[in-house]
């Protein structure tokens, strides 16, 4: 119980919520110009990264309005502040990465879908001239992974707490057989991790896309999630307050159906997908070159309608929660909470 309380307090202490605009209330109606009708508002927590770019495409093309609802975006820098904002009722639905597990386990959010295969673009980097770069495959189960207990011990590692970046670091240290207590773990937001590492202020960095594409020839990739045997999905979560709001629940199936139709459209047209993702970065001040965006589009496919229909929601979420328990990031009783708070009811309704 103490660990759970400490985890929640740590998340709160580290969270710096960056809201754009003033979020309205759940289920409020908004007059849509030219259509003469009121539409229910769905407040969607987003980030200025690839993970939320389908939401931008929906809004740009008014696909939300065409399908009977109106998206109001609420901007956050990462997933951890999204979790902290649940108590303040700042949004209804979130596009979120690995941090989802803490919101679901500790703040009673609900996983209602996965929308991106997020395995790619989660990498660990070091400098080529570092001792750890000379050690490869010390654990035969992970032959491509660099580093050893001796060469990594005492390293300063920058990562973003409560995200897939932290998961990658944790799994890497486990793979090479080094306890986390033997390194200096420093929390920074995604962009700051990259800047600190690039500036020589850290020995190792967990770099998510697009930052993992912005390295140079002085650096070396230590490991990525695929090399560490992990498959991840980016998630759609629903706050508990929204889950218990009939007006919000009524529009969630339409939201999910729209989201997967966007996946169908953009995965079928790589050029259109690239332009949509690039526009999201530009509109929200994200830093990514055309090459970075193309790499990200290739590494992390949007889930399509058929993907969503075949996905067994709950399998990944349970495995992820169990992994966090094994790393002392969650109390063991939280796994059952994650299971209970993962539901396919909205997917079922979207595709019935």
């Amino acid at each position: 119980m103490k660990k759970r309380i400490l985890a929640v307090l740590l998340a709160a202490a580290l969270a710096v919520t960056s809201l754009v605009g003033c979020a309205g209330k759940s289920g409020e109606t908004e007059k849509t110009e030219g259509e003469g009708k009121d539409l229910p508002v769905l407040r969607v927590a987003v980030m200025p990264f690839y993970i939320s770019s389908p939401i931008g495409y929906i809004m740009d093309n008014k696909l939300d309005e065409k399908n009977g609802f109106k998206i109001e975006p609420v901007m956050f820098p990462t997933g951890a502040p999204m979790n902290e904002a649940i108590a303040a009722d700042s949004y209804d639905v979130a596009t979120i990465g690995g941090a989802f597990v803490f919101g679901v386990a500790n703040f009673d959010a609900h996983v209602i879908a996965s929308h991106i295969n997020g395995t790619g673009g989660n990498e660990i980097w070091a400098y080529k001239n570092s001792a750890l770069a000379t050690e490869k495959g010390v654990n035969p189960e992970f032959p491509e992974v660099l580093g050893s207990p001796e060469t990594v011990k005492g390293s300063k590692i920058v990562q973003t707490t409560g995200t897939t970046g932290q998961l990658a670091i944790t799994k890497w240290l486990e793979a090479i057989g080094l306890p986390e207590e033997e390194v200096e773990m420093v929390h920074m937001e995604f962009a700051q991790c990259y800047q600190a590492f690039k500036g020589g202020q850290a020995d190792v960095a967990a770099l998510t896309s697009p930052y993992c594409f912005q390295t140079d020839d002085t650096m070396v990739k230590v490991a990525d999630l695929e090399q560490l045997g992990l498959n991840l999905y980016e998630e759609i979560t629903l706050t508990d307050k929204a889950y218990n709001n009939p007006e919000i629940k009524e529009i969630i199936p339409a939201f999910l159906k729209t989201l997967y139709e966007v996946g169908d459209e953009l995965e079928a047209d790589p050029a259109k997908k690239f332009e949509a993702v690039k526009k999201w970065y530009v509109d929200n001040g994200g830093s990514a070159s055309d090459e970075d965006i193309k790499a990200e589009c290739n590494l992390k496919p949007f889930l399509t309608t058929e993907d969503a229909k075949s996905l067994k929601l709950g399998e990944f979420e349970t495995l992820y929660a169990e992994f966090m328990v094994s790393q002392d990031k969650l109390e063991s009783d939280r796994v059952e909470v994650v299971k209970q708070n993962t539901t396919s009811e909205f997917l079922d309704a979207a595709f019935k």
Side-chain angles (χ1 to χ4, degrees), residues 11-55:
L14 295 174
V16 181
T17 306
S18 178
L19 302 179
V20 171
C22 182
K25 296 179 181 179
S26 298
E28 279 188 341
T29 58
E30 179 173 309
K31 185 74 74 177
T32 302
E33 293 184 8
E35 295 186 7
K37 63 179 181 180
D38 293 328
L39 295 177
V41 172
L42 183 67
R43 301 171 303 165
V44 182
V46 295
M47 303 181 220
F49 306 115
Y50 179 83
I51 188 172
S52 301
S53 56
I55 303 301

Side-chain angles (χ1 to χ4, degrees), residues 21 91-92 110 119 293 329 334:
Y91 63 87
D92 306 308
H110 302 260
T119 306
I293 293 170
K329 306 301 181 186
R334 297 294 92 190

Side-chain angles (χ1 to χ4, degrees), residues 111-122:
V111 177
I112 59 171
S114 300
H115 71 301
I116 295 174
N117 184 328
T119 306
N122 291 277

Side-chain angles (χ1 to χ4, degrees), residues 32-282:
T32 302
E33 293 184 8
E35 295 186 7
K37 63 179 181 180
D38 293 328
L39 295 177
V41 172
L42 183 67
R43 301 171 303 165
V44 182
V46 295
M47 303 181 220
F49 306 115
Y50 179 83
I51 188 172
S52 301
S53 56
I55 303 301
Y57 187 81
I58 290 172
M59 294 188 296
D60 288 342
N61 293 278
K62 299 188 182 300
L63 301 178
D64 50 348
E65 296 175 23
K66 292 176 183 177
N67 286 286
F69 62 97
K70 176 74 173 177
I71 288 177
E72 180 180 289
V74 186
M75 187 66 72
F76 291 84
T78 64
M82 286 183 181
N83 290 331
E84 170 63 16
I86 291 174
D89 188 29
S90 299
Y91 63 87
D92 306 308
V93 170
T95 55
I96 190 168
F100 85 89
V101 73
F102 301 108
V104 175
N106 297 323
F107 298 97
D108 283 328
H110 302 260
V111 177
I112 59 171
S114 300
H115 71 301
I116 295 174
N117 184 328
T119 306
N122 291 277
E123 301 177 357
I124 301 169
W125 284 77
Y127 285 95
K128 281 185 179 179
N129 62 3
S130 62
L132 73 85
T134 65
E135 300 280 358
K136 184 176 181 180
V138 294
N139 184 338
E141 293 184 26
F142 308 100
E144 300 301 313
V145 171
L146 303 185
S148 65
E150 295 75 22
T151 56
V152 177
K153 183 177 180 180
S155 295
K156 180 179 180 179
I157 301 173
V158 290
Q159 50 78 40
T160 308
T161 301
T163 69
T164 52
Q166 181 189 25
L167 174 63
I169 292 293
T170 300
K171 185 64 176 176
W172 170 56
L173 294 175
E174 178 186 283
I176 65 173
L178 183 67
E180 287 190 24
E181 295 75 16
E182 298 294 326
V183 298
E184 181 186 357
M185 294 277 275
V186 180
H187 164 81
M188 294 182 179
E189 301 297 352
F190 293 132
Q192 284 68 45
C193 283
Y194 171 73
Q195 292 297 335
F197 179 62
K198 184 179 179 181
Q201 299 170 33
D203 303 303
V204 178
L207 301 179
T208 55
S209 57
Y211 304 108
C212 59
F213 308 135
Q214 299 175 9
T215 54
D216 58 43
D217 57 10
T218 68
M219 306 168 187
V220 61
K221 185 171 75 171
V222 174
D224 59 36
L225 284 182
E226 185 175 1
Q227 292 171 342
L228 292 167
L230 292 173
N231 291 312
L232 297 179
Y233 293 95
E234 313 289 16
E235 304 283 68
I236 303 295
T237 59
L238 182 68
T239 69
D240 192 58
K241 186 166 185 177
Y243 181 82
N244 288 291
N245 184 330
E247 294 181 348
I248 294 297
K249 291 187 75 170
E250 186 176 354
I251 61 176
I252 293 299
F255 166 69
L256 293 180
K257 191 171 187 293
T258 304
L259 186 65
Y260 292 120
E261 287 175 350
V262 167
D264 296 338
E265 181 179 352
L266 297 185
E267 286 301 320
D269 190 336
K272 182 183 286 189
K273 179 181 179 181
F274 166 79
E275 291 300 330
V277 174
K278 180 176 180 178
K279 186 176 187 302
W280 179 254
Y281 271 107
V282 171

Side-chain angles (χ1 to χ4, degrees), residues 113-115 256 260 264 303-313 344 347-348 351:
S114 300
H115 71 301
L256 293 180
Y260 292 120
D264 296 338
L303 297 191
T304 64
T305 297
E306 289 306 310
D307 292 332
K309 289 180 178 179
S310 63
L311 188 67
K312 294 181 179 178
L313 197 66
S344 62
L347 284 175
D348 294 341
F351 300 126

